[in-house]
Each structure stands twice: as structure tokens, then as C-alpha cells.
Amino acid sequence: MKKTILIVQLLCSIATFGQGFLHREGQKIVDGTGKNIILRGLGTGGWMVQEGYMLQTQPFASPQYVIKQKIQDVIGEQGTKEFYAAYKANGITKRDVDSLAAWGFNSIRLPMHYNLYTPAIEAEKNGEITWIEEGFTMTDNLLKWCAENKMYFILDLHAAPGGQGNDAAISDFDTTKPSLWESEANQKKMIALWKKLASRYRDNPWIGAYDIINEPNWNFTGTNKNGCDENSNGPLRDLMVAVTKAIREVDTNHLIFIEGNCWGNNYNGIFPLWDENMALSFHKYWNYNTTASIQKMLDYRTQYNVPIWLGESGENSNVWFKDALSLVESNNIGWAFWPMKKIENIAGVTSVTKIPEYDVLLKYWKDGGEKPSVDFAKKTLMKIADNYKMENVTVKPDVIDAMFRQVQTKDTKPYKKNAVPGRIAATHYDLGTNESAYSDKDFVNYRVETGKFDEWNKGNSMRNDGVDILPCKDMDSNGYQVSFIEDGEWLQYTVEVARQNRYNIAIRYSGDKAEGKLHLEIENGKKTNIISLPSTGGNDNWKTLILPGVELNAGTQKVKLVFDKGGFNLNYLEFSKNKI
């Protein structure tokens, strides 16, 4: 019996790890069976390396070491240790990884801070390199959770010893100390760290790749401080070659990602490549989603016969996400979006809730004045840390839908179950693309035809589509309202109608401008009369008008709410049986 159990366990192990190591095969990333793999990943930004914009401290504290100073100022050294222990414990857990897998992600990119693995050079004695177990334990745990979900795990050195760029928040660069590029000791520490990591994980096939340096942005010989006009990038190439050599001394299994200067995109002087199992990473933010936007990387792929990977992208509208991912996947390029959690986030898969007390801390840190008590500040920060738990964040189904389903189809699906009779929040329009689930005139950040920036969601609340949503002060609301409505825009709702009947539809709205107008279009082709919505005398003065006698068939139907004339706010539609 014992022998049988061992054989079964061995077969299960072979089945589990039969995919082998990801590796380069010409211009493709493949697994051990030769299957082409498109990585669909998310970066756990903010977990090991905080950036000010994620915590709303950017105006006065952008790199992590400054954020930590601000926290220590209000709760002391011991309180700060307790906060960061809770923050890291809650930030990424098995439940997070299980959720990512369930949503469709097949990989995770871990942005590592070196100081969780090894002390800063000034803390070392006699130039000796020592190690800290915390970072390795965090990495081991995340790797275990990834393996259990059959997800690839990509190690990304996000904050290298000393900091690798003048964009200080990204790498926690302290300008009062030697950077990575100004210190041989920092470079040796980085090389040693990668050798240590590679030695530890060399036999694990769920490690997808080593992303050896994130977004270097440094001027070696050029005038642009972020390295965007560098022509040789000699120090960057030399360091990446040295890191690769150290990795290969202990690990010949794993794929290596490299990144150019200028936030990963300037590859001048980086070629020729020096390893057979390598791929190029590029980052893509705030530009057009045209083939021209990635043409240089496509050319590199062909010229050097090497795979390319979109190692970081995000922070944009759902329309942009769908278009960007459609573009790269159609060109056989995998991706990792960014980030997983930040405070009050509509452009990510989750959002961390900000409590009013946190605004008090932000105001003090920014403007000074009366210092909050230690008790108040600590309770506030520990509550924020608690809000980072997966069970406490707000999941954003519209963002997830845009990244996966909308890349494949223009079909729509319900955002929530909308029962008729019953009340339907205006913001619960269908999931789907612009002109399929909704029509909004400002829906994407860059328009190719004009080359101008558009604010895609003027309300910056709840959902990340083009529809403009604001918090709602009306007591009879789900907390949000559709606002900035323009002539000709529309919203579509999938409704579940209990019985065929005529229904009165109560429209809850407000507005201080001239009267608005709207009508409904039913899936069977019927249109209601246009109803006028007179000014209520103010955006916070809510009134209800009835659109009577709208006939609906039983079953699932799509109802389109068309705004013939905008200029008002919409809270909800409530369907009730017409008694006449």
C-alpha cells in the first residue's frame, strides 16, 4: 500500500510539474512541452515597495523611506514596526492569489525591495554581505500559493540597492546616499542577491522568470535625467551581464527578463544579447494603442530573434486596458498589469477603502498644524493596514471584465442582477465596451484622431469606464450617481423581468440646469415616449418623475436608457407594476 501511495504521489508530481520551466524558443516563451505561453499577470505593487501615489502621500512623501519617516513621526519607531508588520501580513495572502487565479490571471510579478533580503551597505560591517530572512519568507509563501494555483511567479527587483533611477518613488531612491550607479558596493550587493535568489529557486518550475532590474532611469552620458536620450547605456548593460553570469553559475533553468533605460524602454547599446534564455521587457503607459506604439519592440523581436513581454502597464481607463491587451495579445505578447491594491483606486482590480481619519493624517503630513495623538494615529494606520486584507478591499468587476472578457468579445453581461419589479441603480449598467454596454463621449485618455488627452471619467468614482460617476448625497442611493450626462449618451441594463406586464418607471434625478430629456429602448424594438426632466433647482435637490406604462416581456431583456438631452444627474430607476 505504501508503495502504491508513493507511485501515485510521484505521478501527481509529474502531472503538476510536467509543464517544465518557461524558456525562450526563438521569438516565443514556451513551457517544457513546447507550448506557447502568453503570460497574463498582475504586479503586487505597494506590498514590498510602497509608492506615494498608492497611499495618497505623493505630494509630500513619494519614496517609501520618506513615507516611513512620516509614519514614524506620528506613532514612533515601535508603532511603525507594528504597522508595517500588519501591512505586509495583510497585503498579499493566499486569498489574494486564489482570487487572481479565479479572475483569469496565470502569473504574478513580485516587485521586491532589496532591504527585505539584505541590509543597506551602510549597515554592513567590513563590506560583508549578510542576509535577512523576512524577504525570502515572504517570497517562499507567495511562490507556494502560486504553485497551488498553477500560476507562474516572476521575481522583479523593483528597488535595487541604492536605487536605480532618478524617479525616486519607483526604487525608493534616497538622494542623500550613493545610488546603484554610484556605488560598486551596491552593485556587488545586487549581483549577490540575484545569485542567492537563483540558488534558492533554481529547481522550481513555477518561477516563471527573473526580471533582474525594474525601470532603470538614469543619465550616464545624456542630458535627460531619466536616461531617455542615452545612446550607449554601458553601465546598465555591464551590470545586467554581471547579474546574468552570477545567476547562470547556479541556475541554468530559468528565463531572464531584461529592461532598457528610460523606465525600461531605451535599449540603445544593450545589444547584442549575451544569454540564450532571455527575453526583453518593455513598459507601456499613457500612449496610443496602435501597432506603431510597440513597433520598436516588435522590430527588436524580429531582429534579435528574442521574445518580448509587456512587463508593466495599467493606471488607465477600461477602454484603454481592453485596447492595450487586444493589441499585445494579437501580437503574441504576454503582460503584467499594475498594481493590485492602492487606496481609492478605480483603475485596478481592487480598491482599498480610505477612512476619514486617514484624511486627518494626510492633512497633518502635508500642511502641519496640530499633531494628532499617538493613539489616534496608530489606530488610524492599523485600520488602513486592516483594510488591505483581501476580504476588506472592494473588488472591481468592470476592470477585470475589461482585461479578460472584453478582449475576446463585444458582448455585454450584467454588472449586477437587476430584478423587475425592483430598483436598479443608475451605475449598475452592463459590463462591456463603449457603444456596447454604454455610450459616452469621453471614454479613453488619448484619442488617435486628435492626439489630445481626455479625462475619461470626470467623477473618478466606483467604475473605470467612460461613464462619469460621482458619490451621491441622496439618501435613497447606492452611494453613487451618473453625472456629467451629455446629449446622445446612453446606458444599457440587463434586467430579469418576473412577469410580462406594464411597468411604471420612477426616475430619480437632480440638476440645476435647463430640463433634461430621456427615453427607453426595449430589446423588442419598442421605444417609450421622451420624458422631460425639469430642473430641480440644484445638483443635490433630488426629485422623482414617473415614466408610465412601459410594457416588458417576462425573462431576460436588455433595456437601453437614452439621454436625448443631458445636463442632469441620475440616481436610479425603479420599476413597479402599472395598476391601470
Side-chain angles (χ1 to χ4, degrees):
M1 175 64 78
K2 187 177 289 185
K3 185 176 180 181
T4 302
I5 292 172
L6 289 173
I7 292 172
V8 170
Q9 289 177 338
L10 177 61
L11 290 173
C12 288
S13 176
I14 293 171
T16 300
F17 297 113
Q19 85 284 347
F21 296 92
L22 290 187
H23 63 277
R24 166 187 167 267
E25 186 177 280
Q27 297 175 28
K28 298 185 296 182
I29 295 174
V30 301
D31 66 13
T33 70
K35 179 184 176 182
N36 182 66
I37 299 295
I38 293 183
L39 293 168
R40 298 179 176 95
L42 195 69
T44 56
W47 187 40
M48 286 186 169
V49 188
Q50 293 175 324
E51 296 182 43
Y53 83 97
M54 299 178 184
L55 298 168
Q56 298 190 350
T57 64
Q58 186 172 12
F60 50 86
S62 202
Q64 179 173 266
Y65 79 93
V66 182
I67 298 169
K68 187 172 287 189
Q69 289 171 357
K70 295 290 186 183
I71 292 173
Q72 190 163 322
D73 173 60
V74 292
I75 62 174
E77 183 176 352
Q78 182 58 35
T80 301
K81 288 180 180 178
E82 293 175 25
F83 164 75
Y84 275 99
Y87 178 89
K88 286 179 284 190
N90 298 339
I92 300 294
T93 65
K94 184 178 186 301
R95 182 167 176 170
D96 292 83
V97 180
D98 293 345
S99 297
L100 290 173
W103 297 337
F105 293 96
N106 65 9
S107 54
I108 288 176
R109 178 175 180 250
L110 171 66
M112 301 179 294
H113 198 308
Y114 84 91
N115 69 10
L116 292 169
Y117 302 84
T118 183
I121 54 171
E122 59 266 23
E124 302 278 32
K125 295 179 179 179
N126 303 319
E128 181 186 5
I129 296 176
T130 59
W131 304 106
I132 301 170
E133 189 57 32
E134 181 181 13
F136 295 104
T137 300
M138 293 170 72
T139 307
D140 289 347
N141 289 336
L142 186 48
L143 175 57
K144 178 177 180 289
W145 301 328
C146 284
E148 289 171 351
N149 281 284
K150 298 184 179 180
M151 299 175 74
Y152 290 107
F153 184 35
I154 297 159
L155 302 184
D156 150 40
L157 186 54
H158 216 78
Q164 66 266 31
N166 281 308
D167 193 343
I170 294 171
S171 60
D172 196 21
F173 172 41
D174 184 345
T175 57
T176 67
K177 299 174 182 177
S179 73
L180 175 68
W181 311 109
E182 297 165 324
S183 166
E184 183 180 353
N186 276 331
Q187 294 180 28
K188 287 182 177 179
K189 182 175 279 285
M190 174 177 164
I191 294 167
L193 174 57
W194 270 117
K195 187 170 184 178
K196 184 81 169 178
L197 290 164
S199 179
R200 191 180 186 100
Y201 300 119
R202 61 189 169 196
D203 297 322
N204 196 309
W206 290 114
I207 293 286
Y210 303 137
D211 187 356
I212 59 178
I213 186 167
N214 175 72
E215 290 190 351
N217 58 100
W218 196 265
N219 54 320
F220 302 114
T221 61
T223 59
N224 181 278
K225 72 174 186 176
N226 300 115
C228 297
D229 63 355
E230 290 292 331
N231 289 316
S232 65
N233 286 309
L236 173 58
R237 186 183 194 277
D238 291 344
L239 181 58
M240 291 195 295
V241 169
V243 169
T244 304
K245 181 176 182 293
I247 290 173
R248 292 298 182 232
E249 287 174 0
V250 295
D251 181 354
T252 58
N253 292 321
H254 284 104
L255 181 67
I256 290 175
F257 287 130
I258 62 170
E259 299 185 24
N261 206 343
C262 187
W263 296 284
N265 298 306
N266 179 351
Y267 276 88
N268 294 334
I270 300 298
F271 303 107
L273 299 177
W274 53 89
D275 189 86
E276 289 300 313
N277 195 17
M278 183 176 285
L280 309 182
S281 173
F282 68 103
H283 292 188
K284 179 177 170 62
Y285 286 101
W286 296 90
N287 56 20
Y288 303 134
N289 287 315
T290 60
T291 302
S293 71
I294 61 170
Q295 188 60 56
K296 181 174 284 189
M297 296 307 300
L298 294 173
D299 292 343
Y300 288 151
R301 178 169 69 179
T302 303
Q303 183 177 355
Y304 298 103
N305 193 35
V306 63
I308 58 177
W309 175 62
L310 176 56
E312 200 177 293
S313 188
E315 305 289 14
N316 215 301
S317 70
N318 286 342
V319 174
W320 194 92
F321 291 169
K322 187 270 296 181
D323 289 345
L325 296 179
S326 297
L327 172 67
V328 296
E329 290 205 12
S330 67
N331 283 281
N332 195 37
I333 301 170
W335 48 270
F337 259 48
W338 182 268
M340 184 170 181
K341 295 178 182 178
K342 69 178 186 181
I343 292 175
E344 290 191 330
N345 180 23
I346 68 165
V349 295
T350 70
S351 177
V352 177
T353 301
K354 183 171 74 169
I355 57 177
E357 293 85 350
Y358 189 62
D359 278 322
V360 175
L361 286 186
L362 293 176
K363 188 176 189 307
Y364 167 72
W365 285 332
K366 180 176 182 290
D367 300 327
E370 184 178 354
K371 187 175 184 178
S373 71
V374 173
D375 182 65
F376 172 88
K378 187 174 181 181
K379 285 181 179 177
T380 298
L381 287 166
M382 295 305 287
K383 177 58 179 173
I384 288 292
D386 190 64
N387 285 354
Y388 270 82
K389 291 178 179 176
M390 189 66 198
E391 56 264 37
N392 293 335
V393 300
T394 300
V395 176
K396 298 294 185 177
D398 56 299
V399 176
I400 298 166
D401 192 68
M403 295 173 69
F404 290 98
R405 194 186 63 85
Q406 291 178 31
V407 174
Q408 307 299 327
T409 179
K410 289 186 177 181
D411 291 346
T412 63
K413 62 180 291 187
Y415 179 82
K416 296 268 187 171
K417 183 177 180 179
N418 295 319
V420 173
R423 180 179 295 180
I424 299 173
T427 54
H428 289 177
Y429 57 90
D430 284 354
L431 294 169
T433 60
N434 191 54
E435 300 303 331
S436 294
Y438 65 92
S439 178
D440 195 281
K441 294 181 179 178
D442 299 316
F443 59 89
V444 67
N445 69 326
Y446 281 112
R447 292 181 185 268
V448 175
E449 63 269 23
T450 64
K452 294 181 179 179
F453 169 76
D454 284 325
E455 191 173 15
W456 73 85
N457 189 320
K458 296 183 181 71
N460 197 37
S461 298
M462 186 181 167
R463 295 179 65 167
N464 195 40
D465 301 312
V467 179
D468 305 304
I469 297 173
L470 283 172
C472 185
K473 297 179 182 179
D474 187 16
M475 292 183 65
D476 292 328
S477 77
N478 70 326
Y480 297 97
Q481 66 195 42
V482 175
S483 297
F484 305 103
I485 296 170
E486 297 187 49
D487 299 357
E489 295 180 341
W490 52 262
L491 303 170
Q492 177 183 281
Y493 303 85
T494 298
V495 298
E496 300 292 336
V497 183
R499 294 180 180 82
Q500 181 179 357
N501 212 319
R502 289 184 176 273
Y503 292 89
N504 292 335
I505 304 175
I507 300 167
R508 185 74 170 171
Y509 78 102
S510 72
D512 60 358
K513 297 183 179 179
E515 69 178 22
K517 297 178 184 293
L518 61 78
H519 72 274
L520 267 62
E521 296 181 3
I522 314 303
E523 195 170 18
N524 59 16
K526 294 182 180 179
K527 294 183 180 181
T528 69
N529 294 328
I530 295 174
I531 184 173
S532 295
L533 307 175
S535 170
T536 65
N539 288 323
D540 292 330
N541 296 328
W542 292 89
K543 291 186 178 181
T544 304
L545 284 183
I546 303 297
L547 179 61
V550 178
E551 185 174 356
L552 296 175
N553 294 327
T556 302
Q557 293 192 58
K558 295 187 183 296
V559 176
K560 184 183 290 186
L561 180 62
V562 180
F563 305 117
D564 301 277
K565 186 176 181 182
F568 59 94
N569 309 296
L570 189 65
N571 181 346
Y572 62 77
L573 309 176
E574 186 158 17
F575 293 73
S576 59
K577 292 180 182 178
N578 188 324
K579 297 179 181 180
I580 299 176

